[in-house]
Amino acid sequence: MKHLLGIAGMSRESLDELLVLTDSFAEINARAIPKVPALRGKTVATLFFEDSTRTRLSFETAAKRLSADTLSFSVSSSSVKKGESLRDTALTLEAMRIDAVVVRHGSSGAPWQLARWLDCSVLNAGDGWHEHPTQALLDAFTLRQRFGSLDGLRVAIVGDIKHSRVARSNVWAFTALGAEVVLVAPRTLLPPSLEGWPVQMSEDLDAVLPTVDVVYLLRMQLERQNEALVPTLREYTARFGLTVDRAARLADRAVVLHPGPMNRGVEIAPEVADLERCLVLDQVANGVSVRMAVLFKLLAGADGSTASEELDRAGNG
Amino acid sequence: MPAMAETPHYPGEFVLRGAEVLDRSGRRRADVVVRDGLIAAVGDALSAPLVLDAGGCIITPGLVDLNAGVGQPGFEETESVHSAARAAALGGFTTIVARADTNPVIDCAAMVKEIVALGADAACRVLPAATVTVGAKGERLSPLAELAALGVRFFADDGRGIPDARLLRRALEYGAALGVVIVQFAEEPSLAAGGEMHEGMWSSLLGIAGIPSEAEEVVVMRDLALARLTGGHLHFRTLSTAASWAMVAGARRRGLQVSAEAALHHLLLSDSACAEFDPATKFRPPLRPEDDCRALQAALAAGEIDCLVSDHTPHSVQDKEVPFGEAAVGASGLEWLVALALSELTLVDARDGGDRAAIPVGLAELIGALSWKPAALIDPAHRGLIERGAVADLTVIDPTATWVLDPRLGASRSRSTPFAGRALRGRVRHTIVRGVPVVIDAVAER
């Protein structure tokens, strides 16, 4: 595995392998000194064309806990603003002999293009509306932590699926791992076609809620109202928001996930966000472990040793 | 000495020997003698002071591309009238109509004269198109009559179209008596806004904003009504969907003066080609689903497509080395169009393997859409015959030559094509423009 570009097309086995690896790093993260020398001498660059402090910090924390050096390419103050092409930016980074580039880009597919131009590993930290694979892995890990397995779970993904890279990655991750997915959104917020998507769909959140183990809420942005995709955010909340009343109708064991940052009062009521069943902070914590696992998987063992040998050394280090 | 320098290095009289002739009247064995810019004789065992070998080849009336971007003025780093004409001649075209979407656009007599002057010593005939409206801004009409008097036949606000129905109505009405063609780029802006590829299964999977087929079809639907209202000659740019072509065919059956063109990439590639996020697959209109490709192939096979065009759109490398969503639309196409079409669509002779079209296109239908049909749109008196006395615009195609499409070897300054690396079968061997061999043995003489 050289790159992590997207979840679509990944096998259950390779997803499981990453989740099992994540267990080891979750254990390391629980230690007093959560740092191992596994990637000492490696350099990881973050290249974010869209601001996302949370995701960037999560990747940089993961890299540092593996003892990799990190460098952060800030697009807003860089030559990209001066018209440098994506390819030139990437080649410049590579000339600094980095081992991996973590890229966030507003244009779907940008990490695929980078992977064609670069010899180093490319990690997709979110591309357009397309994929956000480490988010899906951390969500799957969070559910696995809670339920032991995703097999047989029924997951409702609620909200702006059309514009959501999180939803696109999660549909593939959840279904590959054995869960059943139902998309809940008005037609205007669904992709134009669901051909080839292994999902059910519904516009009736109230009917779906009692049947699911997981409610995955997506961030609802104000601009969707201006694009005539929903009449008002108020009406959106009335139909698709997880209000206190709706949360009360969830099954006892059901949990609520959200990729953050939450719009309290829009897709989720403030009281619901603070419930024990809302696992948002678990997701954030697991994000670091998952990203450690991915970086380790892509970068360790390049000298010929196997991942498990490396990890043994890492665990003892 | 000046007389020496001006002596053309091409022969004034020569014979194309050993080929079959394919024109509007059919296909037959014949040699063709060219003298002083005209076809002097067509028949068996003809001779002339010079012989251009055409053994095993097919001689067709010169190919015509109604939709070629030449990049000049304004984008000379990507293309020029001369480089585009050279690529066109190597691709067998004896005439191209240069799009007016330059910078500045071609919307006045001075600009038209500039393109005509630049084209005077180009490898093939370059006819300027002009914009329908001043500055292609969609506000006031360009001086259609003045430009028509300078020889402009096609008026198009390319890349933008004419969304305003009243303005299009006026252009069709005003242009009807001038004998000009009003060209519409059929795309409803409010439905296409923000779209980067066809809206459908692939755009949904790839998370790319889509342009629905209906963005094209609602414009075709509306503008066919305007053609009926005005009686003007309406021509649609690169229609990409099965429903668009069905509507055009229906309108023609009802006697409307309507024509349309298809871009070769819409026959050969579907939207699944965008799955690798290769900016070379980004077009406008976008690549459509497989069903539309098949429908366009069938329409070409049935002779329902008026003309096949390259939609040649030169870009610099840096315009295509960016993410898909930021990339410019269009690709280079003049030089490889006929070879690609022969390789991918026709059954010139018995062959196996390769991605054959579901419905093989007959050679006559293909050449018709590349030669006499577009030629008749430029000049309704054009007969499309290889006959004594006709202007010697001829294309000589070797249908069995095999080669590989390498954009780096092309004459165009623009290298972007989604077909790079394709194995081709069929190649333009000679191109004769007004009796002058501008391409001999696949090498440009200009």
Side-chain angles (χ1 to χ4, degrees):
Chain A
M1 188 170 173
K2 181 171 181 189
H3 308 295
L4 178 66
L5 298 175
I7 300 290
M10 282 181 78
S11 67
R12 175 170 188 147
E13 290 67 34
S14 44
L15 291 171
D16 271 332
E17 190 190 338
L18 282 171
L19 296 179
V20 167
L21 197 53
T22 303
D23 277 328
S24 315
F25 289 103
E27 185 269 313
I28 290 168
N29 276 328
R31 295 180 192 172
I33 301 175
K35 185 154 177 164
V36 291
L39 295 185
R40 197 162 52 194
K42 305 279 188 188
T43 305
V44 176
T46 55
L47 177 58
F48 274 47
F49 291 83
E50 277 184 349
D51 287 333
S52 174
T53 311
R54 302 160 59 107
T55 305
R56 185 203 283 265
L57 284 178
S58 181
F59 269 106
E60 289 179 356
T61 304
K64 284 173 175 155
R65 288 186 182 170
L66 293 167
S67 303
D69 296 312
T70 60
L71 55 93
S72 165
F73 196 95
S74 176
V75 169
S76 51
S77 59
S78 75
S79 46
V80 174
K81 276 273 165 71
K82 297 170 194 159
E84 187 176 64
S85 76
L86 177 66
R87 182 161 180 270
D88 284 336
T89 304
L91 293 177
T92 302
L93 276 175
E94 186 156 79
M96 299 175 190
R97 290 193 49 210
I98 58 166
D99 299 286
V101 57
V102 177
V103 62
R104 159 71 61 94
H105 202 290
S107 202
S108 297
W112 274 257
Q113 284 166 292
L114 280 179
R116 279 200 286 271
W117 295 325
L118 295 180
D119 287 328
C120 71
S121 291
V122 177
L123 272 87
N124 183 2
D127 64 314
W129 307 340
H130 182 218
E131 284 246 29
H132 192 353
T134 56
Q135 177 74 45
L137 288 168
L138 75 88
D139 291 331
F141 185 80
T142 303
L143 292 177
R144 191 166 160 279
Q145 216 172 29
R146 183 76 171 203
F147 293 104
S149 158
L150 273 72
D151 273 312
L153 289 185
R154 184 166 156 84
V155 183
I157 301 178
V158 185
D160 186 2
I161 290 141
K162 177 176 180 165
H163 303 96
S164 175
R165 52 184 164 230
V166 173
R168 279 185 182 76
S169 285
N170 273 339
V171 161
W172 301 115
F174 293 166
T175 53
L177 291 166
E180 184 181 299
V181 172
V182 53
L183 305 179
V184 185
R187 188 71 194 84
T188 48
L189 294 179
L190 284 175
S193 163
L194 289 175
E195 191 181 340
W197 293 50
V199 298
Q200 303 158 29
M201 50 177 283
S202 169
E203 290 203 34
D204 188 349
L205 182 60
D206 288 307
V208 168
L209 276 182
T211 70
V212 298
D213 305 294
V214 182
V215 184
Y216 197 104
L217 299 170
L218 297 171
R219 187 175 159 75
M220 182 63 193
Q221 289 173 322
L222 181 62
E223 63 191 87
R224 306 302 171 217
Q225 172 181 315
N226 304 329
E227 294 164 20
L229 292 167
V230 291
T232 60
L233 285 188
R234 185 173 157 272
E235 179 159 318
Y236 176 81
T237 303
R239 292 185 69 197
F240 299 100
L242 191 60
T243 58
V244 173
D245 286 349
R246 286 201 178 105
R249 290 199 295 276
L250 283 168
D252 287 345
R253 70 173 203 148
V255 298
V256 178
L257 269 62
H258 191 295
M262 290 185 286
N263 286 319
R264 289 177 183 244
V266 181
E267 67 267 7
I268 186 165
E271 299 83 350
V272 177
D274 294 330
L275 293 175
E276 189 275 335
R277 67 167 80 217
C278 180
L279 306 182
V280 172
L281 293 179
D282 293 342
Q283 290 174 274
V284 175
N286 290 334
V288 175
S289 306
V290 153
R291 287 168 181 130
M292 287 171 79
V294 170
L295 284 168
F296 182 85
K297 174 77 183 159
L298 298 188
L299 296 183
D303 56 359
S305 53
T306 67
S308 57
E309 283 166 6
E310 280 284 333
L311 190 58
D312 285 344
R313 245 186 289 163
N316 297 332
Chain B
M1 284 305 288
M4 283 290 287
E6 284 168 18
T7 302
H9 65 276
Y10 55 82
E13 179 178 354
F14 58 91
V15 60
L16 292 163
R17 186 174 288 163
E20 282 184 88
V21 161
L22 171 65
D23 65 11
R24 185 166 231 153
S25 68
R27 186 169 171 175
R28 62 210 173 271
R29 243 289 311 142
D31 296 340
V32 179
V33 174
V34 173
R35 187 188 305 132
D36 299 331
L38 300 176
I39 295 170
V42 182
D44 270 337
L46 299 178
S47 59
L50 190 103
V51 176
L52 270 186
D53 179 46
C57 294
I58 296 161
I59 306 176
T60 72
L63 306 187
V64 175
D65 191 338
L66 296 184
N67 181 356
V70 299
Q72 196 173 6
F75 306 99
E76 285 86 351
E77 76 283 5
T78 68
E79 200 73 289
S80 68
V81 168
H82 279 196
S83 65
R86 193 174 306 118
L90 285 164
F93 293 103
T94 56
T95 300
I96 60 174
V97 176
R99 280 204 310 268
D101 56 351
T102 48
N103 182 23
V105 299
I106 311 299
D107 64 353
C108 64
M111 297 297 302
V112 167
K113 287 175 183 166
E114 164 96 3
I115 299 299
V116 170
L118 285 168
D121 59 347
C124 73
R125 214 182 259 105
V126 179
L127 303 178
T131 58
V132 181
T133 64
V134 176
K137 290 186 176 137
E139 291 162 4
R140 292 179 296 126
L141 289 180
S142 303
L144 303 188
E146 183 186 11
L147 302 185
L150 291 171
V152 176
R153 173 131 174 102
F154 297 92
F155 291 87
D157 283 4
D158 278 308
R160 185 180 187 283
I162 307 156
D164 183 325
R166 175 176 160 276
L167 192 61
L168 180 62
R169 173 188 181 176
R170 297 298 181 230
L172 286 165
E173 284 173 339
Y174 190 84
L178 303 173
V180 301
V181 182
I182 304 297
V183 180
Q184 174 67 303
F185 175 73
E187 185 185 271
E188 166 53 40
S190 63
L191 287 175
E196 309 285 358
M197 66 175 291
H198 172 73
E199 178 181 299
M201 182 187 88
W202 280 105
S203 73
S204 298
L205 288 170
L206 299 173
I208 293 177
I211 301 173
S213 297
E214 288 74 9
E216 175 176 304
E217 290 156 5
V218 296
V219 174
V220 172
M221 200 180 295
R222 182 197 75 175
D223 293 352
L224 288 174
L226 295 177
R228 189 181 60 207
L229 175 67
T230 60
H233 183 161
L234 176 65
H235 177 87
F236 288 107
R237 273 284 184 247
T238 59
L239 292 182
S240 62
T241 81
S244 292
W245 280 101
M247 285 189 276
V248 167
R252 233 178 335 223
R253 280 195 297 275
R254 295 193 301 275
L256 294 187
Q257 203 181 354
V258 173
S259 54
E261 63 192 36
L264 182 67
H265 47 259
H266 285 132
L267 279 72
L268 300 187
L269 293 175
S270 67
D271 58 345
S272 65
C274 303
E276 303 292 317
F277 302 101
D278 179 356
T281 62
K282 187 171 173 184
F283 289 95
R284 207 164 145 214
L287 299 176
R288 299 294 185 186
E290 193 63 37
D291 286 351
D292 289 304
C293 298
R294 299 289 181 208
L296 266 61
Q297 290 169 6
L300 181 64
E304 289 166 6
I305 285 182
D306 303 279
C307 46
L308 200 55
V309 299
S310 66
D311 192 18
H312 183 78
T313 305
H315 289 295
S316 58
V317 171
Q318 65 266 24
D319 290 334
K320 286 288 193 179
E321 280 191 345
V322 295
F324 190 90
E326 296 167 11
V329 292
S332 198
L334 279 166
E335 199 163 338
W336 311 294
L337 188 151
V338 75
L340 274 167
L342 285 168
S343 307
E344 309 273 338
L345 293 174
T346 64
L347 288 171
V348 174
D349 49 24
R351 287 181 253 159
D352 46 1
D355 292 324
R356 292 287 116 206
I359 302 154
V361 177
L363 193 60
E365 282 71 31
L366 174 64
I367 299 300
L370 284 168
S371 173
W372 50 86
K373 288 178 167 183
L377 288 173
I378 294 173
D379 174 8
H382 190 275
R383 284 163 54 84
L385 296 175
I386 294 179
E387 59 183 352
R388 189 185 143 95
V391 173
D393 284 343
L394 298 167
T395 303
V396 182
I397 299 166
D398 179 350
T400 57
T402 54
W403 54 309
V404 173
L405 197 163
D406 182 349
R408 291 167 304 179
L409 303 180
S412 167
R413 291 182 190 168
S414 173
R415 308 260 186 271
S416 173
T417 168
F419 300 109
R422 292 253 180 151
L424 301 176
R425 184 160 173 134
R427 184 168 197 167
V428 173
R429 185 164 177 198
H430 313 305
T431 306
I432 319 295
V433 178
R434 291 191 196 91
V436 179
V438 294
V439 172
I440 298 175
D441 285 327
V443 174
E445 300 290 304
R446 283 188 183 179

